[in-house]
Amino acid sequence: MSVLSGKKILLGISGGIAAYKTATLVRLFIKAGAHVQVIMTPASKDFITPLTLSTLSKNPVYSSFYDQDEDNEKWNSHVELGLWADMMVIAPATANTLSKMANGACDNLLIATYLSAKCPVYFAPAMDLDMYIHPSTLESFHKLKLFGNTMIPAESGELASGLSGEGRMSEPEHIVAFLEADLESKLPLKGKKILITAGPTYEAIDPVRFIGNHSSGKMGFDIAQSAANLGASVVLVSGPSHLKMENNLVKVIRVVSAQEMYEVCHQYFDDVDVAIAAAAVADYKPKNVSLQKIKKEADDFTIELEKTKDILASLGEIKKNQFLIGFALETENEIENAKLKIQKKNLDLIVLNSLQDEGAGFGKPTNKITFIDKNFKVEPMELKSKEAVADDILNKVIAHFL
């Protein structure tokens, strides 16, 4: 999965011959899983039609401050466009547009949006050789870099004038690769390895029946996705769950029982920087498992149980420099019980859930948690989506490594 997946990209197109390549660029962004909104300068429409880009981006294309029709005039807010984007890419960036960006000459929607943008801005110059090396253009490059903008260097090759040299806009494939590499290099968990457990475990009674719980695994899967989005390499050990993970930074290992989860966790723990135990592991399992389906004969039926291995405590016993995070689902004396678990299992942080809180618990899209660290600092959080809770948990991991 590309690091551009889910990103909101604002593509600004100015009036140069290289504008014809933006059809391919938009297609590549969409293929990478990004959401694309296009803004064109009036001159750029001489080189490629808004209809082409609208069709490829699946969004309207903007080129003026308002759209006029027979009934009314609709304002196109440059402020809203600038706030919408996760990143702005100006390609091709002609000498004229670069000069306007550098000097604040705001005479079209593209420049107004650029000046309003709060997101990272990338620009891909495209012009003839002599224009590219002209002192005024070099000054524009210098100013824009001082503003914090990132230049996607032009390439050498045959130019529209027939000359050959530097100034050719970077090819669409190279622009995408440049953006991916730049984003990945800035990800706060790049190079970190994280072990995450998720879902329930099923402890067999016989070939048909088991002891389990209602955990869907969503919290653990959301944490894994968030960690991967932040650049981490993730091993996700999941008990039985219908959820799927499509991210090449996440290695999913499916298990059924607590014993299987224990073995996999110990296989990977020594090699990770962080372990997050979000699984709802069964505390007990049948002492004897029937090889055949148990028939319903007696009025009473007793199953003798024995404790499963405590995965989290076992990891706490052998941890070295790993940042170890556990979960606690409590129904009473929540804070006190969570603090005891921190001490007993040698945790760095615990994520407390209370079934007394509306919107928290198994099978819900939301969660309400309280963070408690090893120094017993208590930090209650608001009710949030599980995706947002996952981000909060990973922010604690990021803070640990700062």
Side-chain angles (χ1 to χ4, degrees), residues 200-204 210-213 215 240-241 256-258 282:
T201 63
Y202 289 173
E203 310 305 324
F210 60 85
I211 295 172
N213 57 62
S215 174
S241 172
V256 176
S257 68

Side-chain angles (χ1 to χ4, degrees), residues 259-309:
Q259 179 62 31
E260 290 173 342
M261 185 172 285
Y262 176 96
E263 292 171 359
V264 174
C265 287
H266 278 264
Q267 178 183 346
Y268 286 93
F269 185 68
D270 283 344
D271 195 40
V272 301
D273 303 289
V274 181
I276 304 173
V281 182
D283 294 320
Y284 291 89
K285 64 179 181 178
K287 189 171 184 178
N288 298 298
V289 180
S290 174
L291 298 178
Q292 304 296 327
K293 180 183 176 183
I294 298 171
K295 299 297 183 181
K296 185 170 66 175
E297 295 174 345
D299 291 335
D300 297 310
F301 179 69
T302 301
I303 300 175
E304 187 177 0
L305 301 177
E306 63 181 359
K307 280 188 175 181
T308 57
K309 291 181 179 178

Side-chain angles (χ1 to χ4, degrees), residues 44 74 135 137 172 182 209 213 323 325 347 370 376 393:
S44 69
K74 180 184 175 184
T137 305
D182 189 66
R209 304 174 183 89
N213 57 62
F323 188 58
I325 302 176
L347 306 181
T370 297
F376 296 157
I393 293 169

Side-chain angles (χ1 to χ4, degrees), residues 6-12 29-30 34-39 57-60 62 77-89 113 116-120:
K7 296 292 185 185
K8 293 178 285 189
I9 301 177
L10 192 59
L11 175 62
F29 283 154
I30 295 295
H35 307 288
V36 182
Q37 179 66 69
V38 177
I39 302 177
S57 68
K58 303 178 178 63
N59 278 314
Y62 300 106
S77 173
H78 58 281
V79 175
E80 289 183 7
L81 288 167
L83 292 174
W84 171 84
D86 294 318
M87 58 196 304
M88 186 174 189
V89 181
T113 305
S116 300
K118 300 294 190 292
C119 60

Side-chain angles (χ1 to χ4, degrees), residues 347-386:
L347 306 181
D348 296 289
L349 182 71
I350 201 161
V351 181
L352 172 62
N353 296 272
S354 172
L355 284 181
Q356 306 300 325
D357 292 325
E358 185 176 351
F362 294 142
K364 295 182 174 65
T366 56
N367 206 351
K368 188 175 186 298
I369 66 167
T370 297
F371 287 116
I372 307 176
D373 67 19
K374 63 183 179 181
N375 297 316
F376 296 157
K377 178 184 176 183
V378 179
E379 183 181 355
M381 308 296 287
E382 298 296 324
L383 180 70
K384 298 182 180 182
S385 70
K386 285 186 175 177

Side-chain angles (χ1 to χ4, degrees), residues 126-387:
M127 62 200 75
D128 214 83
L129 174 62
D130 292 335
M131 299 171 68
Y132 191 76
I133 61 175
H134 193 277
S136 65
T137 305
L138 298 178
E139 179 66 17
S140 293
F141 293 161
H142 178 67
K143 278 189 175 182
L144 293 175
K145 290 176 183 177
L146 287 179
F147 295 163
N149 302 160
T150 302
M151 178 174 166
I152 304 173
E155 299 178 359
S156 294
E158 185 177 350
L159 304 169
S161 64
L163 299 175
S164 183
E166 196 172 19
R168 178 172 176 159
M169 186 181 86
S170 182
E171 293 299 316
E173 294 84 357
H174 299 163
I175 291 176
V176 171
F178 181 96
L179 295 174
E180 289 176 332
D182 189 66
L183 288 177
E184 287 176 355
S185 70
K186 297 172 181 175
L187 293 174
L189 294 179
K190 181 70 175 177
K192 299 299 182 185
K193 298 179 181 178
I194 300 182
L195 173 67
I196 300 169
T197 65
T201 63
Y202 289 173
E203 310 305 324
I205 297 171
D206 61 23
V208 177
R209 304 174 183 89
F210 60 85
I211 295 172
N213 57 62
H214 298 294
S215 174
S216 66
K218 179 170 171 54
M219 190 71 257
F221 273 73
D222 286 341
I223 296 170
Q225 182 64 66
S226 181
N229 289 342
L230 293 168
S233 175
V234 180
V235 175
L236 175 61
V237 187
S238 175
S241 172
H242 70 281
L243 298 176
K244 296 181 179 179
M245 175 65 64
E246 295 180 1
N247 191 314
N248 56 15
L249 289 175
V250 180
K251 179 179 181 179
V252 181
I253 301 175
R254 302 278 182 176
V255 298
V256 176
S257 68
Q259 179 62 31
E260 290 173 342
M261 185 172 285
Y262 176 96
E263 292 171 359
V264 174
C265 287
H266 278 264
Q267 178 183 346
Y268 286 93
F269 185 68
D270 283 344
D271 195 40
V272 301
D273 303 289
V274 181
I276 304 173
V281 182
D283 294 320
Y284 291 89
K285 64 179 181 178
K287 189 171 184 178
N288 298 298
V289 180
S290 174
L291 298 178
Q292 304 296 327
K293 180 183 176 183
I294 298 171
K295 299 297 183 181
K296 185 170 66 175
E297 295 174 345
D299 291 335
D300 297 310
F301 179 69
T302 301
I303 300 175
E304 187 177 0
L305 301 177
E306 63 181 359
K307 280 188 175 181
T308 57
K309 291 181 179 178
D310 191 322
I311 298 172
L312 189 54
S314 70
L315 297 179
E317 288 177 358
I318 63 172
K319 80 169 186 177
K320 299 171 185 174
N321 297 316
Q322 294 93 339
F323 188 58
L324 185 58
I325 302 176
F327 274 66
L329 179 62
E330 302 291 344
T331 59
E332 59 182 356
N333 300 323
E334 293 95 341
I335 300 296
E336 293 77 6
N337 287 334
K339 288 180 178 180
L340 287 173
K341 183 176 282 190
I342 291 174
Q343 292 178 312
K344 183 178 179 181
K345 303 191 179 186
N346 193 22
L347 306 181
D348 296 289
L349 182 71
I350 201 161
V351 181
L352 172 62
N353 296 272
S354 172
L355 284 181
Q356 306 300 325
D357 292 325
E358 185 176 351
F362 294 142
K364 295 182 174 65
T366 56
N367 206 351
K368 188 175 186 298
I369 66 167
T370 297
F371 287 116
I372 307 176
D373 67 19
K374 63 183 179 181
N375 297 316
F376 296 157
K377 178 184 176 183
V378 179
E379 183 181 355
M381 308 296 287
E382 298 296 324
L383 180 70
K384 298 182 180 182
S385 70
K386 285 186 175 177
E387 292 87 350

Side-chain angles (χ1 to χ4, degrees), residues 92-109:
T94 61
N96 183 45
T97 290
L98 289 170
S99 179
K100 291 178 180 180
M101 291 166 61
N103 295 288
C106 185
D107 65 351
N108 61 46
L109 182 63

